[in-house]
Amino acid sequence: MSDLSASGMFVPSQTVGTVLCCICGVAMPPNPANMCVRCLRSRVDITEGLTRHAAVIHCPECRCYLQPPRTWIRGLEPESKELLAFCLRRLRLPLRRVRLVHAEFIWTEPHSKRLRLRLRVQAEALHGAILEQLHIVELTVHDRLCDACSRSQANPDQWSAAVQLRQHVSHRRTFFYLEQLILRHSAAARALRIAETDHGLDFFFGSRSHALKFVDFITGVTPVRSRSDKQLVSHDPKSNLYNYKHTFSVEISPVCREDLICLPPKLANALGNLGPLVLCTKVTNSIALLDPFTLRSAFLDANQYWRVPFKALLTSRQLVEYIVLDVEVESAEVSVGGFRYMLAHAQVARVADFGKNDTMFTIKTHLGHLLNPGDYALGYDLYAANSNDCEIEQHKGLILPEALLVRKSYHEKRAKNRGKARSWKLKSLNMDVDTTSKGRADEEKRNTEYEEFLRDLEENPEMRFNISLYRNKEYQPSEMASTADGEDVPSIPLEELLADLDLSEEEENEEADNMKE
């Protein structure tokens, strides 16, 4: 067209044709209704017949919503996409007549018990003309306890199934780790109540299926054996209905990480003459064993362990601190089961013997890649230990080493940071704790074990792989502390920390002001 105008030919200008509205006479682009948009909206209401008011039922305890007739939906956060989809399903829009273009929340006060939606819908108005219109819907929130919450509120002991989780050891390290796994996967979200006992935890559920699901989760993360029983509570002979209370007893293997084990002869032969003196390096649904003198490893699943059960020769509660005097590397560094090891000969002495005697030990260790002269290490004192284990007597000619190092110690370097807050924190389950005199006496022991568990998380990246760590908002780092701390002390990098999702009051007020604007 530009070529024609350049040649001097007359080219008529193209204009958009307009017509007059048949009602108000305003010029407008033509449409099938021959009416402007304002007149069309004043005479045709495409939202006629659409729901403007509705009601939803909300449980104030567990924050779930009722999907009629009996389904309770969890995880619907305020003003989330999931809650918006739930509200739209409750409206039951006639999608054959109108088309939903856009939907969003209108901000309301949390205590108003109202959910307001702004919808944009399209529909055919007159003679094929498509009209888009705004539609406001208000949903009234009615509070009502769900079945599980109403049962727990009426009588907390009115449970249908209980899971008794036990481990017969002298510490609670396993339960601290299990607590974080349960929180990470929301495995105990259906529990009515959680109670702490001497050697474990009790979980109470409203139905047997919820308890079975929880037992399956525990079976997948730890080597356990379980059995179940039931007790008849009531019986209706007319309708032939029985009401039972189910109890699941779950026993966790007493073998824990860093335990020293003397394998039974039959089991050692079945594992290819492993050990018999081995260390437990990892416990999941199987037990990882390592021979610290040959770096051979093996795995035992729950069935293999409970077929030939054994206990630890020495546990991590019996670790003794040593100081490393000299290290001589024997072989190159190797990777076994995801961990790095290096065989070496080390000359060590007990820290408690310094200034008292000149007792030193020359031992073989698998920590040659970590230890240097002057470092501290934790190990088992087999020289002074009184081992009355029948498994050792079955191995004829077995010579026990004088000491066996387990891991490097940072006790001296951590003494500077003792009592200071960490940059990260963990969440905990809401459980009933024993408040009697015996429970108060065990509180100090529990706090000490929990502090050791936090140190294990800092030193072992493998342990915190399946744990959610959150940033501590109350932590305020100081320049003096950052320059004084040694770089050799293990810590958790900020990249592994998650932000806590709880909004403060200031953030909520700022969001409210933005929504009003």
Side-chain angles (χ1 to χ4, degrees), residues 379-429:
Y380 292 110
D381 186 8
L382 299 177
Y383 178 78
N386 185 11
S387 301
N388 295 324
D389 197 326
C390 60
E391 305 295 347
I392 296 181
E393 299 176 357
Q394 296 180 13
H395 294 278
K396 297 181 180 179
L398 176 62
I399 301 176
L400 296 178
E402 296 172 329
L404 180 60
L405 301 184
V406 177
R407 57 184 167 93
K408 190 175 179 179
S409 174
Y410 303 91
H411 179 73
E412 295 293 332
K413 298 179 180 179
R414 289 185 186 275
K416 303 176 182 179
N417 299 331
R418 187 173 300 170
K420 296 182 180 179
R422 290 181 168 85
S423 61
W424 54 277
K425 63 179 181 178
L426 298 175
K427 292 186 176 181
S428 58
L429 290 172

Side-chain angles (χ1 to χ4, degrees), residues 177-194:
Y177 183 70
L178 269 181
E179 181 182 11
Q180 300 305 317
L181 291 181
I182 292 172
L183 288 170
R184 174 73 177 268
H185 299 278
S186 300
R190 300 278 186 176
L192 302 178
R193 186 168 62 92
I194 305 174

Side-chain angles (χ1 to χ4, degrees), residues 17-58:
T18 60
V19 296
L20 299 179
C21 175
C22 64
I23 302 298
C24 63
V26 176
M28 65 170 192
N31 58 49
N34 288 330
M35 284 190 293
C36 64
V37 176
R38 181 176 298 179
C39 295
L40 193 60
R41 286 180 176 174
S42 64
R43 282 162 173 76
V44 179
D45 184 12
I46 63 174
T47 63
E48 184 179 1
L50 298 184
T51 304
R52 296 184 182 274
H53 299 276
V56 293
I57 299 177
H58 171 255

Side-chain angles (χ1 to χ4, degrees), residues 187-305:
R190 300 278 186 176
L192 302 178
R193 186 168 62 92
I194 305 174
E196 186 179 11
T197 59
D198 291 338
H199 293 283
L201 299 172
D202 289 341
F203 296 83
F204 301 93
F205 297 89
S207 66
R208 180 175 177 270
S209 59
H210 296 162
L212 280 174
K213 186 177 180 181
F214 181 75
V215 173
D216 292 340
F217 171 78
I218 297 298
T219 305
V221 295
T222 54
V224 300
R225 63 178 176 182
S226 61
R227 62 185 184 89
S228 60
D229 199 358
K230 61 182 180 179
Q231 179 183 4
L232 181 63
V233 177
S234 61
H235 168 50
D236 186 1
K238 295 182 179 180
S239 58
N240 200 24
L241 294 178
Y242 294 84
N243 184 18
Y244 290 100
K245 275 193 173 183
H246 301 268
T247 303
F248 298 87
S249 177
V250 182
E251 182 183 357
I252 303 176
S253 164
V255 177
C256 300
R257 193 176 63 89
E258 297 179 348
D259 284 356
L260 181 63
I261 303 165
C262 183
L263 295 176
K266 292 184 179 179
L267 183 59
N269 294 334
L271 296 177
N273 292 325
L274 181 70
L277 211 59
V278 295
L279 282 174
C280 177
T281 58
K282 186 178 180 181
V283 178
T284 54
N285 55 353
S286 60
I287 302 174
L289 303 176
L290 173 71
D291 188 343
F293 308 110
T294 61
L295 298 186
R296 294 178 57 201
S297 63
F299 292 88
L300 287 178
D301 58 17
N303 294 331
Q304 291 176 319
Y305 172 78

Side-chain angles (χ1 to χ4, degrees), residues 449-466:
E449 293 176 351
Y450 189 72
E451 179 65 24
E452 294 177 358
F453 170 70
L454 297 182
R455 293 176 183 175
D456 290 343
L457 289 181
E458 292 177 339
E459 297 177 7
N460 193 347
E462 187 74 19
M463 277 188 65
R464 58 178 185 262
F465 180 74
N466 293 322

